[in-house]
Amino acid sequence: MKHFTKRRSSLRAALLATVAVAATIGALPSRADEVTPERLLNADKEAGNWLLHHKDFSATRFSTLNEINKDNVKNLKVAWTMQLGGVEGGGIWTHGGLEGTPIVENGMMYVTDGWGSVYKIDTHGGKGTLLWKMDPKTDHDWAGAVACCGVDNRGVALWGNLVISHTLDGRLIATNKDTGQVAWQRQVANPDKGEVITGAPLIVKNMAISGVAGAEYGIRGWIAATDLSTQKEVWRTYTIPGKDDPGHETWKDDKNAAASGGGSTWVTGSYDPATNTIVWGVGNPGPDWDNEYRPGDNLYTDSSLGLDADTGKIKWHYQHTPNDPYDYDSVAENVLVDVPGPNGSTEKLALEADRNGFAYAINRTNGKFVWGLPFVKKVTWTKGLDPETGKPIEYDSSKQVQLYNASVTPSRQNKVTDICPGNMGGKNWPPTAYNPQLKLWYIPVIESCNRITVEEETPAKLKPREFWTGGGPSQPVRITGSVTAIDVTTGKVAGKHETQFPNLGGILATPDLVFSGQPSGEVVALDGKTLKKLWEFNTGGGVNAPPMTFSVDGKQYVAILVGLGGAWDKWFIDATPELKKMQPGSMLYVFAL
């Protein structure tokens, strides 16, 4: 495996350049409506639009559009398609993939390919017309060499008359919505030390919130806010505490392990305007599997964080797997829901489907555990959760190195072992969806086990832009998946739609339907209550992105990006050998009645 440890001056110049290229294609429309903070606060009221990455600040991915429903979804057909670019590889990757969620405002769609090129598409008239493409000219080999888990970009955000996007090499770019010309850009992450950005920005007030990927390279994770008016950083909160910060005492080593402690933040978070709190998930500690290198609970890894939106100060945290030896990060989105509580009260919850195979409900005002349950069929790493704290039953706060279920826990004494779920997790980054009418939360599930081999790390092995994992996985066991529904009023599994392959794309919910896709190419619609399959279409390409829906000219559409990339076909394909025949692609599909 080739890694780049020195950067040529020409690549540095390309990365730090302040000009990107926009190609204008076709006639440009008149200036679109500006996207204000007020519109984003009320995004759920614009039923025909999809203005935020997760549809709304609560990350429900629920649309009230119901022209397409369980009675007529069997008639859903392809309305139009569009071939995109970005399939080329770079660094350690043979090709790019599509993991983004299209953003739609008043019939104008904005999508990205894996390399962060932005496409503006006019969807009026029942067809797609490409208006412009902004190519950020990312250096493929330099960025791709430290993109742990694929050439990926999960989409854009809108603010004012600008399209806000990230690039794999760590830039935040503002592009004029009308012309496709880059208005400005700034460097947010530093790939010189293994930092990249794959997630979509979250716009809160006048700020773009960015997360970072790179825990496998020994980085120190963070969440950062950029003022879109001044183009300057407002705050940067490190997910691995500094020596004078609360939580630093949870790193008990004598090797300064916190400096390379991981804690990536590569999935877009949510926002609670009522408390002015950003809720964001934090990834695994580094090195991934040698937890003896980093004794202690390793805050704030494997945690959900509540951050003050104006200052970035951590208000509360909830850690799911202290001293994680499994690579079970908690980077997933938190879905903010209100459900009836005792004595007529309302429980304000943050829901997170963790890689460790458990679904959690946390009080989003204070970070306290409410309930948790397994959403996968097989969990071997622990016997369960403590009903009061939600911590694994075996967790012992007096111990610096946690073994949990010792017989299957990777360690320096147990160097080769099988764990369930595997290190891709019971759920990875693909987003859940929540139907507030049915009170059902839908999880895209990976039903998995895999084998972990531990390698003892030492400080001498830690080098910039080189893997820092303490071992790695292999795949001796077949991996399948499901769409699993949880009743959030009871904290119980309400249904499960089994799938031949893991769910690598995510979920969309409408009043009576659930949409999802398969890495084998099928896009499906399920009954929202029973999870019975009502419709299926085979795209011919691997689905690695979540569906969304919008309306234009009074007609509802469902859109999804198709092109399998990410980590699966490089690290996990042996567990799904049938997927080896899936070819790289880069296609947008749009469906309608």
Side-chain angles (χ1 to χ4, degrees), residues 463-481:
K463 298 177 181 178
R465 293 176 59 85
E466 293 193 11
F467 275 123
W468 172 251
T469 60
S474 59
Q475 316 304 323
V477 181
R478 181 170 183 84
I479 297 178
T480 62

Side-chain angles (χ1 to χ4, degrees), residues 424-442:
M424 274 291 280
K427 172 192 174 296
N428 205 269
W429 71 267
T432 62
Y434 173 68
N435 184 322
Q437 299 171 6
L438 300 177
K439 298 293 190 294
L440 291 176
W441 178 35
Y442 306 100

